Amino acid sequence: MVILYQLERTWGIPNLSHFCCKTETYLRMADIKYAIKATLPLFAPKRKLPYIEDGDLKLADSRFIIRHLKTKYKDLDAGLTPSESALSLAMQRLLEEHLFWATMYSRWQYTDANWQVNKKAIFGVMPPVIRDLAAAYYRQRIQRQILGHGTGRHKAEEIFELGMQDIDALSACLGNKKYFLGDQPTSLDASAFGFLINTLGCPIESPLKEHSLSKDNLRNYVDRIKAEYYPELRQQQS
């Protein structure tokens, strides 16, 4: 059985880590048996989550994990045409290499209120002294990453403007389809759900979240996938 190591569930969503949520959603969409072990990035092989254990194999990074899952278990992309595969890759790059940084900025740098919500969710399980030191260290580290990526060199309104362009592109690509590439879920949907629910479905406030919520098709898409693949979360909220 696959063991998925990721952050604790919180906020009523599958995971506050975009990439953990992406990976678990792929597992559920592909109906692959797995178990979860909660941990922190500090203990992960690449100091990032998620990672998996599958027998003697230990594998980090959602891209390599999903490649392994496709090869050994089930490939949700097996029926895609070359042009659909190209579109899937391009949209996943938009989500994971661009929109991601706007959402990270909103959590780790945009407002103190957002930071306190984020801090409590990630570091709240630690003893107070260790919690504050670890939170300060990781906040500084991630802010340096945001700056190094280039996103952190812009003003807040510029960052969110670029993020809104991503949301517009995602909304246009989805249109009125059930999934991004038709009637069946693919790896693009696992990624899109993981990133969209961490944009419009978590208690981090920003103009980017407001803009995302204004897209009815994206909001309905997230609600539908959450209800279909994570029914236990809906039950917890009821």
Side-chain angles (χ1 to χ4, degrees):
M1 179 184 289
V2 174
I3 308 298
L4 172 63
Y5 290 83
Q6 61 179 8
L7 295 169
E8 290 274 7
R9 291 209 198 284
T10 189
W11 295 344
I13 66 175
N15 208 275
L16 61 82
S17 161
H18 310 59
F19 295 99
C20 291
C21 187
K22 165 193 171 184
T23 303
E24 186 175 5
T25 302
Y26 188 94
L27 285 162
R28 293 199 176 202
M29 287 178 167
D31 197 22
I32 299 169
K33 292 182 179 180
Y34 70 99
I36 292 175
K37 290 191 177 179
T39 188
L40 293 172
L42 177 66
F43 307 110
K46 294 183 179 180
R47 298 295 186 266
K48 288 186 175 183
L49 295 174
Y51 74 95
I52 65 165
E53 289 180 354
D54 189 8
D56 295 331
L57 176 68
K58 182 179 287 187
L59 190 61
D61 192 293
S62 65
R63 292 166 295 187
F64 299 127
I65 293 170
I66 288 179
R67 183 180 66 183
H68 168 73
L69 298 176
K70 286 181 175 183
T71 301
K72 183 174 180 180
Y73 296 99
K74 184 175 181 180
D75 185 356
L76 293 178
D77 298 338
L80 298 183
T81 67
S83 62
E84 287 173 333
S85 295
L87 176 60
S88 174
L89 178 63
M91 296 306 290
Q92 288 187 65
R93 291 288 190 267
L94 177 150
L95 288 157
E96 300 174 15
E97 306 294 344
H98 196 264
L99 179 63
F100 171 71
W101 291 103
T103 63
M104 290 293 280
Y105 173 84
S106 69
R107 295 181 182 191
W108 296 83
Q109 194 166 333
Y110 178 50
T111 65
D112 184 65
N114 281 358
W115 163 239
Q116 294 303 325
V117 171
N118 191 47
K119 176 182 175 182
K120 180 179 179 181
I122 298 174
F123 304 100
V125 296
M126 296 180 171
V129 175
I130 299 175
R131 176 193 63 211
D132 292 342
L133 289 174
Y137 168 77
Y138 273 98
R139 188 183 194 193
Q140 185 179 57
R141 178 181 174 183
I142 289 176
Q143 286 180 344
R144 286 199 301 266
Q145 292 174 354
I146 295 170
L147 181 68
H149 174 265
T151 295
R153 301 176 189 275
H154 304 311
K155 297 177 181 178
E157 58 268 27
E158 294 173 328
I159 293 171
F160 293 132
E161 178 184 354
L162 294 174
M164 289 176 196
Q165 292 173 0
D166 294 337
I167 293 298
D168 290 344
L170 288 162
S171 179
C173 182
L174 178 62
N176 59 5
K177 300 188 297 294
K178 183 176 181 181
Y179 298 106
F180 271 88
L181 295 173
D183 295 329
Q184 299 297 322
T186 66
S187 64
L188 172 55
D189 294 290
S191 182
F193 174 74
F195 283 74
L196 286 171
I197 199 168
N198 271 287
T199 304
L200 57 82
C202 62
I204 300 295
E205 305 304 324
S206 73
L208 179 61
K209 178 181 178 179
E210 294 174 8
H211 186 70
S212 301
L213 287 169
S214 74
K215 302 294 183 179
D216 290 344
N217 65 336
L218 295 183
R219 190 179 67 251
N220 293 335
Y221 170 84
V222 168
D223 290 343
R224 185 173 64 252
I225 290 183
K226 182 180 177 182
E228 181 175 358
Y229 292 100
Y230 295 92
E232 75 277 15
L233 296 182
R234 181 175 56 182
Q235 293 168 2
Q236 290 172 8
Q237 290 182 312
S238 61

